[in-house]
């Protein structure tokens, strides 16, 4: 018996990086998974991987910035899987398209990060909450960031949205507690995903770096900031999300849990 047997999960932004890792770990722990992403091909590829683990998987594309799209996601997810137990709000961006080529965030970067990283959580949670409330049970896991714990020079637009994601999660935790729905946040540190490849490229452009590769820029940041000395992985985040989605965390709600090798300790 696996800890998530007979559970059903929806993961947004699951076509890449951390979201993919979460979808795969939830499936390994026994859950059937709706793999959602704005990129339909990426969602389909990860759904195929979930199926190869022996679980049911449905690729349902959705843009979390658009409430019509997240309402459709909720309707189709419930139709396909009958019920949804776990919602993971993972989709996130570092800015508007091409943000990594700008050394300073533009107004569009501020708007795009807010739309995806904050309103995305609000839209998707709003679309699923009636279903979860009716069933008087559910788990919501929001992926914030260590960047939401304190300001970051030159990346304030992103940090601000992650601080908001932590705060919004506390609000939903209070609002949904009477329905036995737990809402928690994970604050990851440094993971080498397509998002971080873009951050490294931006850092290289900003500093005029010509010798180090993006991966070396990442390694340097890791070494300078992380007491445990190793990068975190999508699988690490998946394991924490699985715990927060399981019966073992039934009295944990409104918390934001750092998963960062010790880089921030608040
Ligand atoms: N990589 C890190 O070091 C790190 C650290 C802390 C927090 N995070 C957070 O983890 C989450 C995942 O990041 P990642 O590193 O895997 O990034 P990623 O770029 O690899 O994946 C993000 C996914 O979100 C999808 N997406 C983007 N906009 C969307 C939208 N409007 N609707 C639906 N899907 C959308 C993308 O298509 C992509 O598949 C993000 O919220 C990010 O802020 C990442």
């Amino acid at each position: 018996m696996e800890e998530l047997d007979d559970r059903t999960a929806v993961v947004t932004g699951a076509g890449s990086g951390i979201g993919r890792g979460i979808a795969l770990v939830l499936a390994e722990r026994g859950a059937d998974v709706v793999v959602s992403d704005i990129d339909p091909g990426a969602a389909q590829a990860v759904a195929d991987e979930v199926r190869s683990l022996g679980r049911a998987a449905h690729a349902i594309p959705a843009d979390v910035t658009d409430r019509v799209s997240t309402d459709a996601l909720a309707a189709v997810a419930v139709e396909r899987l009958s019920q949804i137990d776990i919602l993971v709000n993972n989709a996130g961006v570092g800015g508007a398209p091409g943000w990594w080529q700008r050394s300073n965030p533009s107004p569009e970067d501020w708007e795009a990060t807010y739309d995806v990283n904050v309103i995305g959580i609000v839209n998707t949670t709003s679309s699923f909450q009636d279903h979860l409330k009716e069933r008087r049970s559910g788990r919501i896991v929001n992926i914030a960031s260590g960047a939401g714990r304190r300001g970051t020079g030159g990346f304030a637009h992103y940090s601000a949205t992650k601080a908001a994601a932590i705060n919004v999660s506390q609000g939903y935790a209070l609002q949904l507690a009477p329905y036995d729905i737990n809402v928690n946040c994970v604050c990851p540190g440094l993971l080498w995903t397509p998002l971080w490849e873009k951050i490294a490229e931006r850092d290289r452009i900003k500093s005029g770096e010509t010798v180090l590769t993006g991966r070396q820029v990442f390694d340097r940041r890791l070494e300078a900031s992380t007491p445990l000395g190793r990068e975190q992985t999508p699988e690490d985040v998946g394991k924490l999300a699985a715990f927060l989605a399981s019966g073992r965390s039934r009295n944990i709600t409104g918390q934001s849990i750092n998963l960062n090798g010790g880089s921030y300790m608040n």
Side-chain angles (χ1 to χ4, degrees):
M1 184 83 180
E2 297 291 343
E3 67 181 334
L4 298 180
D5 270 351
D6 303 325
R7 305 286 174 84
T8 53
V10 174
V11 184
T12 69
S16 169
I18 294 175
R20 171 179 170 273
I22 295 169
L24 295 177
V25 174
L26 295 182
E28 278 164 6
R29 303 284 167 98
D32 294 334
V33 185
V34 168
V35 178
S36 187
D37 202 283
I38 197 169
D39 177 342
Q44 191 57 59
V46 175
D48 290 344
E49 289 188 85
V50 169
R51 266 183 231 112
S52 72
L53 294 171
R55 305 305 320 173
H58 301 274
I60 308 178
D63 176 355
V64 298
T65 67
D66 175 2
R67 179 66 192 273
V68 173
S69 182
T70 58
D71 280 351
L73 167 64
V76 178
V78 171
E79 183 194 301
R80 300 261 171 93
L81 289 172
S82 309
Q83 65 184 52
I84 297 299
D85 303 299
I86 302 157
L87 169 62
V88 183
N89 287 308
N90 162 78
V93 294
W99 60 266
W100 56 94
Q101 285 149 343
R102 292 185 274 283
S103 25
N104 289 308
S106 66
E108 290 76 22
D109 292 326
W110 281 86
E111 276 170 31
T113 41
Y114 194 76
D115 279 352
V116 181
N117 302 355
V118 185
I119 302 300
I121 293 177
V122 174
N123 281 338
T124 314
T125 304
S126 302
S127 297
F128 279 92
Q129 70 175 350
D130 286 349
H131 174 74
L132 300 175
K133 279 162 123 177
E134 262 169 39
R135 301 186 54 240
R136 300 193 82 80
S137 96
R139 297 300 168 95
I140 299 176
V141 180
N142 295 329
I143 307 305
S145 170
R149 297 291 201 181
R150 62 182 193 189
T152 46
F155 218 45
H157 65 298
Y158 176 84
S159 291
T161 65
K162 293 301 185 178
I166 291 170
N167 195 286
V168 161
S169 303
Q170 292 171 357
Y172 277 123
L174 289 168
Q175 214 170 297
L176 297 174
Y179 302 92
D180 212 2
I181 298 167
N182 304 36
V183 185
N184 290 292
C185 255
V186 178
C187 297
L190 292 171
L191 294 90
W192 185 244
T193 64
L195 174 63
W196 230 102
E197 284 176 38
K198 294 181 185 115
I199 296 173
E201 185 54 23
R202 179 176 174 274
D203 285 0
R204 271 161 42 84
I205 292 169
K206 229 178 150 171
S207 65
E209 175 61 60
T210 52
V211 179
L212 298 182
T213 63
R215 176 67 213 204
Q216 286 167 329
V217 169
F218 174 84
D219 286 340
R220 211 162 53 170
R221 177 86 71 93
L222 186 69
E223 198 182 321
S225 67
T226 308
L228 282 178
R230 46 176 185 261
E231 68 199 90
Q232 298 87 60
T233 66
E235 193 185 0
D236 292 333
V237 182
K239 286 177 179 168
L240 181 52
F243 168 72
L244 292 171
S246 76
R248 289 188 291 152
S249 62
R250 69 190 188 104
N251 279 322
I252 301 176
T253 198
Q255 305 306 309
S256 299
I257 303 175
N258 293 331
L259 197 164
N260 61 16
S263 57
Y264 311 114
M265 297 192 179
N266 63 336

